[in-house]
Every structure is written in C-alpha cells, then in structure tokens.
Amino acid sequence: MTPRRCLVTGATGYLGGRLVPALLDAGHAVRCMARTPDKLRHRPWAGRVETVRGDVTDAGATGAALDGVDVAYYLVHSLGAGRDFAGTDRRAARVFGERARAAGVRRIVYVGGLTPAGVPERELSPHLRSRAEVGRILLDSGVPTAVLRAAVIIGSGSASFEMLRQLTERLPVMVTPRWVRTRVQPVAVRDVLRVLVGCADLPDDVSRTFDLGGPDVVTYQEMMRCYAGQAGLRRRLILPVPVLSPWLSSLWVGLVTPVPGPLARPLVESLRHEVVCAERDIERYVPPAAGGFLDLDGALRAALRQVAGTPPPARPAPGDPQPGDPGWAGGSLYTDRRERAVDASPAALWRVVERIGGENGWYSSPFAWAVRGWLDTLLGGVGLGRGRRDPVRLRVGDHLDFWRVDALERGRLLRLRAEMRLPGSAWLELTIRQDDAGRAVYGQRALFQPRGLGGHAYWWAVSPFHAWVFGGMVRNITSAAARDGD
C-alpha cells in the first residue's frame, strides 16, 4: 500500500471518526476538515492529524482543505438538517467535486446508500434519492470517484443500527409496519472501513459505484430476532400491520427510541425499499479480510462488545462506541454519579475505600445490603457470603461479596463488577482526585446496562433507594476518611 495524503470530511461523524485512525494505522497522512475543529481536540488520534476549519458548501475553504491531497473522503450529508437537506447536499457535492478537480486530487471516495435494483430514482425515498444524486455529481466531477453503496451498517453509533438496537431491547412485543419484511443486506462497520482504506489504492481508471454488503440477506424482522439472540434477550414477538405509514412509523420510532425524529424519519422512509447487492466487484480491487466479510451474527457480536460509558476494552474496535458518537448512541446505560470533597489526604481516603466490603461493610444501610444479599442467594446467586480475601488490601480479580475487583489503580481508582443475579450488567466505580485546595475529592459512579425491558424496569424500581444507599456511602466514606486523617 502506497502512503497517500488523505482528506477526511465528516471526521466528527460516525464513519469519519472511525476512518481517521484506520488510515493512520495504514500509514497514510490525514487532514481533517470540520466546521467545528474543537470537536476533534480530545480524540485519541488528534495529535497525529492536521485539522482545518471549513464547510463543504464554502468553495474557498474546501479548495484550501483539498490543496496537496491525493485521496479525498466525502463523508458528509445533511440528513436531519431540515426539509431542504437534498438541496444542501447537492450544492455541497458540486463545490467539492469542482474544488477537488481544480486541486488535482487523484481520487474521491464517497459512501452512499444502496438503492433497489429496477426502481426508478423518482420513486426512491428522499434520503436514498439524495444519496444517489450526490454520488452521480461526484462521478461527473472529472475526478476518479469510488461510490460505495451500503445498506444498514452494523456498529455501535450507526443510526440504522441504533434504531434496531433500541426497538429490540425495549419492546418484547412489537406491532410494526410492513417494512419489517423488507429484505436488506447489512454490513459490519469493520468491513466498510477496510474497504474505505483500500479504496486509496484503486487504479486511476476506476470511477464507478460499488455495492457493499455482508454475506447475509435478511428481513428487518430477522435482524431484530438475530439481535435479540446475540444480546441474550428472549425471542421477540413481531406483528406486522399494513396501516402504519412511513410518517407514522417515524413518530413511533421517535417515541420508543432516543434516535432524534428528524434523523429517524428519512431513515424509516428508506426502509420500504429492498436493498440487496447486485454485484460484489469491489472484492476484485480490495480483497476481503481473512475469513471474508463478517456475517450478521459476527457483526452484531462486534457491535455489542461495549455500551457507551461502560469500562472500555483494552483496544476499542471499530464497532465499539467512540468519542464523538451522539449521546443517544451506544445502547442504554443508567448512571448514578456522586462526588464530595473531604478534609483529608488522598492517602487517608484511599485507606477507607480499599477496606470496603466483607466484615468492614459497605458504609451505608447494612440492612439494605443484607436484604440484597439474601435475595441474590434465593435467586441462585453468590450473595454476600464470599466476603473478601484480605481485610485491608485488594487486588484485581479478588471477589468482594457479590462483586469482583475489575480494575484497581492504587490511590486513585477501584472498579467493581457485579456478580449478583441481575437483568443486565453493573459496575461500581470509586475514585479519588485532589482539588485546587489540596483536598481529596471522592467520586462514586454506579453503572447499569439493562438487558431487555426487565432491565429497564429493574433500574426504575430500585432507583428511589439510591439516595439512601449510594448517598449514604458517600457521606460515610468521606466522614471516615476525615475522622481517620493521616
């Protein structure tokens, strides 16, 4: 692979934010163009890229951003930005194509939507029609262009996937529109990124559209059931009815899920079209990874590795939540967060934190903790009987009543992972930092990732007791540290 100078537009978005580190790992130099560059400042790769301010509808800024670039990735669209999103996208694509040609760019790469074979463009949804028009404008720009047409991209943060995730998790029984029986060919975000990186080396005489999809052709109904299986949910009962129009469907999606209505509406309108690959020619130019494209089950497993806000794996994968993903993306996560400064040294506070559990107790509501332990035992869980290995010191992997030490940074962080019977996954994080006055600040965060409707119901059932249990922990831990001193 020849190192290229690449421009990524849409680097603050879903695909762009994942493409940048993939290009860097492949040895390319990357420049990011963003209307608000500050949004990129805290990305892990920010120090390895050049960032320029600009809007793709601004010919001057676009031309400056494209200067000296070999490959330009066009990953912006105005979906959800108002009624005339198609007009905005049309103007932006023309500006980008003209400026790319003037700058001597050798290739444009664009990700559009997979369109149904044999359906006239005027009959497509406004969303798909606009995506097709943008691809055509870029192909006509005089710059060799690869238009990758994908249907549903499976990965945490993808709007289509988040609709699938939220609907399936929250509704064990669904009365749905007829579009749940529409066939679609989903593709894992991992494979989309691999192809995008590979397109930097396409021959100069290749300028065309490519269909991009995984190996499975399924209905949306089958996708929902596959998701339920991979997420450990009970089989979903799905009842399609003929009376829900795309407009009513989008209102329903907006009511049930956190996906914003202006974004959900054009996506839902597109679901009435069958979108299946007519060719797989891209594989002649960008060979598949070992093992080929991920199938639907594999793509879902990759997308479900992590929920946004939960303790991350050692190296986040493309399907994981990423910094900059919208707040509604990444799955459901409930949080109880508390913090208090204490007139004690961080060392004194840490001694109290590290003694938590076992015979030392949980610093609040002993009866409530005992009841929770008895209930866990009755349900077949481990209960509170395990205690702790050592009364003073902890290490990663230690059991701690019905918790397990998941992470430990001595003097700074203790993270516990719940091993009690729960309709979901839970963590308890205890942290210590020092404020400007030199006081220790105790932080406490309880995290709960629900599994299905029962998980959501569980959180709301126990949340009224959090002020008593978790609030008491904060008060008593900080009081004990202040009392013990150094």
Side-chain angles (χ1 to χ4, degrees), residues 439-457:
R439 298 178 304 173
V441 178
Y442 172 70
Q444 183 177 289
R445 189 169 69 133
L447 305 169
F448 182 66
Q449 177 191 342
R451 185 173 61 250
L453 189 61
H456 292 276

Side-chain angles (χ1 to χ4, degrees), residues 57-180:
T57 59
D58 182 332
T62 301
L66 287 163
D67 184 44
V69 165
D70 300 313
V71 181
Y73 289 90
Y74 190 78
L75 303 177
V76 295
H77 60 81
S78 302
L79 187 62
R83 291 181 179 271
D84 192 31
F85 70 86
T88 302
D89 279 343
R90 183 182 308 118
R91 292 191 299 274
R94 285 174 177 158
V95 167
F96 195 82
E98 290 167 359
R99 295 296 93 197
R101 182 176 181 180
V105 172
R106 60 168 295 273
R107 171 156 306 280
I108 295 172
V109 183
Y110 168 63
V111 177
L114 188 57
T115 54
V119 176
E121 190 170 303
R122 65 179 180 276
E123 296 180 15
L124 297 176
S125 71
H127 167 227
L128 285 180
R129 193 162 60 242
S130 175
R131 291 296 186 94
E133 181 183 27
V134 167
R136 196 166 55 250
I137 290 170
L138 295 175
L139 285 166
D140 291 342
S141 67
V143 178
T145 298
V147 175
L148 304 175
R149 306 193 307 172
V152 175
I153 296 177
I154 303 293
S156 182
S158 160
S160 298
F161 173 73
E162 293 302 332
M163 286 201 312
L164 171 77
R165 183 209 297 264
Q166 299 289 351
L167 287 172
T168 310
E169 284 190 351
R170 295 175 181 224
L171 298 177
V173 179
M174 286 180 267
V175 178
T176 63
R178 285 179 296 181
W179 52 252
V180 295

Side-chain angles (χ1 to χ4, degrees), residues 1-350:
M1 180 174 288
T2 305
R4 310 286 188 191
R5 292 166 295 176
C6 301
L7 174 71
V8 177
T9 64
T12 59
Y14 174 68
L15 269 182
R18 288 159 170 78
L19 175 61
V20 170
L23 289 170
L24 292 170
D25 288 347
H28 299 299
V30 178
R31 177 185 295 161
C32 297
M33 178 181 178
R35 286 179 298 181
T36 312
D38 282 350
K39 290 183 178 180
L40 301 176
R41 186 172 51 184
H42 299 298
R43 299 293 179 94
W45 38 261
R48 302 167 60 196
V49 303
E50 177 189 359
T51 302
V52 297
R53 184 185 302 274
D55 187 303
V56 287
T57 59
D58 182 332
T62 301
L66 287 163
D67 184 44
V69 165
D70 300 313
V71 181
Y73 289 90
Y74 190 78
L75 303 177
V76 295
H77 60 81
S78 302
L79 187 62
R83 291 181 179 271
D84 192 31
F85 70 86
T88 302
D89 279 343
R90 183 182 308 118
R91 292 191 299 274
R94 285 174 177 158
V95 167
F96 195 82
E98 290 167 359
R99 295 296 93 197
R101 182 176 181 180
V105 172
R106 60 168 295 273
R107 171 156 306 280
I108 295 172
V109 183
Y110 168 63
V111 177
L114 188 57
T115 54
V119 176
E121 190 170 303
R122 65 179 180 276
E123 296 180 15
L124 297 176
S125 71
H127 167 227
L128 285 180
R129 193 162 60 242
S130 175
R131 291 296 186 94
E133 181 183 27
V134 167
R136 196 166 55 250
I137 290 170
L138 295 175
L139 285 166
D140 291 342
S141 67
V143 178
T145 298
V147 175
L148 304 175
R149 306 193 307 172
V152 175
I153 296 177
I154 303 293
S156 182
S158 160
S160 298
F161 173 73
E162 293 302 332
M163 286 201 312
L164 171 77
R165 183 209 297 264
Q166 299 289 351
L167 287 172
T168 310
E169 284 190 351
R170 295 175 181 224
L171 298 177
V173 179
M174 286 180 267
V175 178
T176 63
R178 285 179 296 181
W179 52 252
V180 295
R181 290 177 175 162
T182 302
R183 295 197 315 156
V184 64
Q185 195 162 353
V187 60
V189 64
R190 181 203 75 169
D191 293 318
V192 176
L193 294 172
R194 180 182 51 78
V195 172
L196 281 169
V197 173
C199 281
D201 278 333
L202 287 177
D204 291 344
D205 61 350
V206 174
S207 188
R208 53 164 291 188
T209 63
F210 293 97
D211 290 354
L212 191 57
D216 296 321
V217 177
V218 295
T219 64
Y220 284 96
Q221 179 172 290
E222 290 167 337
M223 265 206 300
M224 289 176 177
R225 286 180 171 153
C226 285
Y227 179 94
Q230 292 297 329
L233 304 173
R234 293 180 180 178
R235 181 176 174 85
R236 272 25 196 165
L237 179 60
I238 300 171
L239 305 172
V241 296
V243 295
L244 287 175
S245 67
W247 181 77
L248 286 173
S249 297
S250 66
L251 293 180
W252 171 66
V253 169
L255 177 67
V256 174
T257 81
V259 179
L263 181 59
R265 189 166 300 118
L267 291 175
V268 169
E269 289 174 347
S270 302
L271 299 182
R272 69 177 187 264
H273 301 297
E274 182 174 284
V275 281
V276 177
C277 294
E279 45 82 12
R280 303 191 67 90
D281 294 350
I282 190 62
E283 295 180 22
R284 298 196 338 240
Y285 300 98
V286 184
F293 280 67
L294 278 180
D295 62 12
L296 177 59
D297 284 336
L300 289 170
R301 280 195 297 274
L304 287 168
R305 285 191 346 139
Q306 186 197 358
V307 166
T310 59
R315 181 177 172 82
D320 294 339
Q322 303 282 332
D325 284 354
W328 45 262
S332 300
L333 183 71
Y334 293 113
T335 305
D336 182 281
R337 188 191 305 268
R338 301 169 191 271
E339 189 174 86
R340 176 176 287 195
V342 56
D343 289 320
S345 68
L349 181 55
W350 177 254

Side-chain angles (χ1 to χ4, degrees), residues 371-383 402 419-421:
V371 169
R372 187 63 185 88
W374 296 333
L375 286 173
D376 193 54
T377 302
L378 286 174
L379 293 171
V382 296
F402 44 41
E419 293 188 338
M420 64 196 82
R421 295 281 184 171

Side-chain angles (χ1 to χ4, degrees), residues 362-484:
W362 290 86
Y363 296 102
S364 77
S365 313
F367 179 72
W369 285 97
V371 169
R372 187 63 185 88
W374 296 333
L375 286 173
D376 193 54
T377 302
L378 286 174
L379 293 171
V382 296
L384 291 173
R386 295 189 304 184
R388 50 181 291 161
R389 176 190 58 84
D390 183 281
V392 176
R393 301 278 287 183
L394 290 173
R395 63 189 182 192
V396 173
D398 276 359
H399 55 72
L400 192 57
D401 295 329
F402 44 41
W403 302 89
R404 178 80 59 179
V405 178
D406 194 47
L408 187 147
E409 297 177 24
R410 203 163 299 283
R412 199 185 77 82
L413 166 72
L414 172 63
R415 185 168 67 228
L416 307 175
R417 184 182 71 251
E419 293 188 338
M420 64 196 82
R421 295 281 184 171
L422 288 170
S425 301
W427 295 264
L428 180 61
E429 256 185 13
L430 314 179
T431 60
I432 297 171
R433 64 178 180 86
Q434 202 163 12
D435 66 12
D436 294 339
R439 298 178 304 173
V441 178
Y442 172 70
Q444 183 177 289
R445 189 169 69 133
L447 305 169
F448 182 66
Q449 177 191 342
R451 185 173 61 250
L453 189 61
H456 292 276
Y458 170 83
W459 175 265
W460 289 112
V462 300
S463 59
F465 303 100
H466 287 172
W468 176 34
V469 176
F470 292 136
M473 284 181 65
V474 173
R475 289 191 300 273
N476 294 330
I477 286 174
T478 53
S479 295
R483 189 169 56 247
D484 293 352

